[in-house]
Amino acid sequence: MSVDRVRTSALLAVVMAGLIAGCGGEDGKHQVESVIIGGSQVTDPVALLNEAHTQFISANQGAIDARSATVASDTSCFFRRESARSTAVVPKVFCGPIRRPGADEDHSWDAYGTDSSSEVTLGSLEQPASAVDISLLVRPDGKSPADASTVAAPLVPQSTLKDYAVMRPESEQQSGFELTNLAIPARLVTPSATISVLAQATSDVLPGWVEGGTGAAAYRPADGQEIRAYRVTIEPGSPYPDPNGSGRSAAAGSAKDASTTLSVSVGGQRLVVHGSPDDSHTSGSFEAKTFTVTCASLPCSDKADRRTYVLVTSIAKGKAPSLTATVDGQSLSMPLAGGAVSSAVSTVGSARKNMQQQVRASLATQPVPVDFGSSYGVIDTKVDPATISTVFLTAFDSAKGWAPSGKAWLEVPLNEGGLHPDSGLWKLDPDVITLKTATGTVAPDADAEQVGTYAYLVPDTFTTGTLVYQAHGTASYGGPTKPFKAKTSQQIPISIPAG
């Protein structure tokens, strides 16, 4: 053989070896001999891939045994070239294909990191269920990756949750549901929260985040259960614009707790709604929290903005669930699919749009002459300036709590000092300010009355009336007690259209 033919054959062998080791022809596209990661050459790439495969199978063995994850018989681990024309590999190892519930065939590779600070070593799982261009995967032995479409579909594991509800902020994770808007959103109003249901969905699977922990991506419902989900918004509750403010003392005792606790009512059961408006929960479990909008007393100090949540339920098949809001031991409910609010107490906050009227009125001085025989006195029943700037309807009085069904409280706060019911010389009767309506006169409720605020129990259809201020009571001046009553009264018209 001539020298030229020897040189030509040697050169051809070098070129072919380079093609096989790098990005050569179709037969060698999955083969690589020399692997450099982070500038360091992998001493034994086969051993590194075998270590990755052992870690990959070990991590998924339980799911594989339960058939909630499936792998090909020749599932392996690979390096991946940076591009089709590159001989360099990315600093990761890809193992698969593996099929899991909720992940499609394109997302069937687990990516493990590597550490090349000195010697190249295998790191931990960095990205499960990733998408990979399998044409870029390479091994020293040239083995081709298995086709994910030939891997059997996994069996979705069964959920352990039964008769369960959880609500989490929609922004925290993909909900996993195809929610459809309700034709007419459902709306329920309490003293501390306005709750609206905007959309709903049914599903054959329960997303893994509901089950908690680091298990499967999805679960099938427990026996006899079905999965329903809803988009729910929470906003501040019914207005309580009392300028006398919280922290005042009630005539009937301490102020009522106006916090709202949510539950789901279905088939005669009431299910706790797990979760929390402040987003706090125990890692991997929602059991530690019951969804409650806190309001120790009215008016609520926390006026949070509108927030959107996903409510997920696992409930008995064929049952129609309702959302129930409980305040001070009384509950209001509405069908989660949309419908009217029902309750044994007032639902005026849910039924009406207009609940308040701005007023500009000052109570005038009403001097009253009282004859004590030889003594003649004039009683001035207005000590400090007293004005009325607003009146409002509410289902829940801060001192007495809920109005009965079909009723509402009309609250009348007095600003700037208000009336002094007892001066030592005279004592005003509690009904010094009454409410005149088309059906008669209503006296303020003594148990509901707060210091500086009068409360009247009226029909929840109330729209117009007149506040009547007429000083009357008893007076004593060095002798017997005598009744007195001003000859004139002051009248303040009230108008709150239903809207």
Side-chain angles (χ1 to χ4, degrees):
M1 183 181 293
S2 68
V3 173
D4 289 341
R5 290 186 65 186
V6 171
R7 287 176 177 172
T8 300
S9 298
L11 179 59
L12 181 60
V14 170
V15 171
M16 291 301 294
L19 289 174
I20 293 173
C23 52
E26 187 66 27
D27 292 340
K29 72 176 183 179
H30 292 295
Q31 188 167 358
V32 66
E33 294 179 357
S34 177
V35 178
I36 297 176
I37 294 177
S40 299
Q41 183 166 344
V42 179
T43 305
D44 191 341
V46 174
L48 188 64
L49 292 179
N50 288 342
E51 181 186 351
H53 186 262
T54 298
Q55 184 172 323
F56 167 74
I57 293 298
S58 176
N60 293 284
Q61 191 65 63
I64 293 171
D65 292 343
R67 293 191 297 160
S68 60
T70 54
V71 294
S73 59
D74 56 348
T75 287
S76 288
C77 298
F78 297 80
F79 300 108
R80 199 205 78 189
R81 289 198 295 258
E82 289 182 348
S83 67
R85 296 183 177 274
S86 174
T87 58
V89 300
V90 299
K92 291 183 180 181
V93 174
F94 296 84
C95 297
I98 181 170
R99 297 283 305 278
R100 298 185 178 96
D104 56 29
E105 294 174 3
D106 293 334
H107 295 78
S108 57
W109 292 86
D110 286 0
Y112 291 83
T114 59
D115 182 3
S116 58
S117 57
S118 55
E119 180 182 1
V120 178
T121 57
L122 183 70
S124 59
L125 177 66
E126 287 189 351
Q127 187 178 1
S130 60
V132 179
D133 183 351
I134 62 174
S135 69
L136 302 180
L137 298 181
V138 291
R139 286 178 54 92
D141 57 12
K143 179 181 178 180
S144 300
D147 185 352
S149 65
T150 65
V151 180
L155 176 65
V156 178
Q158 190 168 40
S159 174
T160 60
L161 301 178
K162 192 170 185 177
D163 300 326
Y164 185 82
V166 62
M167 193 152 77
R168 298 294 296 157
E170 189 175 34
S171 60
E172 282 196 1
Q173 66 278 300
Q174 294 295 321
S175 71
F177 296 99
E178 297 274 340
L179 293 161
T180 302
N181 291 338
L182 297 181
I184 302 176
R187 179 174 174 269
L188 183 157
V189 181
T190 75
S192 50
T194 297
I195 304 132
S196 300
V197 183
L198 307 180
Q200 64 178 348
T202 58
S203 177
D204 294 331
V205 296
L206 187 70
W209 63 266
V210 177
E211 187 85 13
T214 57
Y219 296 81
R220 69 183 188 275
D223 291 339
Q225 298 272 289
E226 64 181 4
I227 308 303
R228 297 189 183 189
Y230 306 87
R231 179 175 290 120
V232 179
T233 60
I234 306 289
E235 301 174 74
S238 186
Y240 204 87
D242 189 342
N244 291 323
S246 59
R248 63 190 178 178
S249 60
S254 60
K256 293 281 189 177
D257 188 324
S259 300
T260 299
T261 299
L262 297 185
S263 58
V264 171
S265 298
V266 55
Q269 293 189 79
R270 184 172 291 186
L271 311 179
V272 169
V273 174
H274 301 280
S276 173
D278 63 8
D279 303 346
S280 61
H281 62 281
T282 303
S283 179
S285 171
F286 301 103
E287 296 296 336
K289 289 286 185 178
T290 299
F291 198 101
T292 299
V293 179
T294 303
C295 178
S297 62
L298 293 173
C300 299
S301 58
D302 181 15
K303 293 294 184 181
D305 294 333
R306 182 177 187 264
R307 305 183 70 178
T308 304
Y309 300 84
V310 174
L311 170 64
V312 183
T313 64
S314 176
I315 59 176
K317 288 182 179 179
K319 300 296 184 180
S322 296
L323 186 64
T324 297
T326 302
V327 180
D328 192 36
Q330 298 292 334
S331 297
L332 295 82
S333 295
M334 64 178 175
L336 276 163
V341 175
S342 60
S343 178
V345 294
S346 176
T347 59
V348 67
S350 303
R352 291 184 59 152
K353 293 182 179 179
N354 295 331
M355 301 281 283
Q356 182 180 0
Q357 178 196 358
Q358 300 299 321
V359 180
R360 292 183 179 179
S362 298
L363 298 186
T365 298
Q366 292 187 354
V368 181
V370 180
D371 187 356
F372 291 101
S374 59
S375 300
Y376 182 84
V378 177
I379 300 171
D380 184 352
T381 61
K382 183 173 182 293
V383 178
D384 294 326
T387 61
I388 302 173
S389 60
T390 186
V391 296
F392 61 96
L393 290 168
T394 179
F396 192 89
D397 176 74
S398 60
K400 197 166 184 178
W402 288 104
S405 178
K407 299 287 187 178
W409 295 108
L410 177 69
E411 306 274 338
V412 181
L414 303 186
N415 302 330
E416 302 178 32
L419 295 172
H420 287 209
D422 191 346
S423 72
L425 174 64
W426 47 260
K427 184 176 182 180
L428 291 176
D429 289 345
D431 59 346
V432 66
I433 303 177
T434 56
L435 174 68
K436 185 169 65 175
T437 70
T439 58
T441 298
V442 182
D445 190 301
D447 292 333
E449 181 183 342
Q450 294 274 3
V451 174
T453 299
Y454 292 80
Y456 305 84
L457 194 61
V458 298
D460 56 13
T461 55
F462 175 90
T463 55
T464 59
T466 303
L467 292 174
V468 180
Y469 166 46
Q470 186 170 21
H472 62 94
T474 56
S476 176
Y477 182 69
T481 298
K482 291 193 173 186
F484 69 88
K485 184 174 184 178
K487 293 182 179 180
T488 60
S489 64
Q490 181 179 353
Q491 300 191 16
I492 302 168
I494 302 299
S495 177
I496 306 178

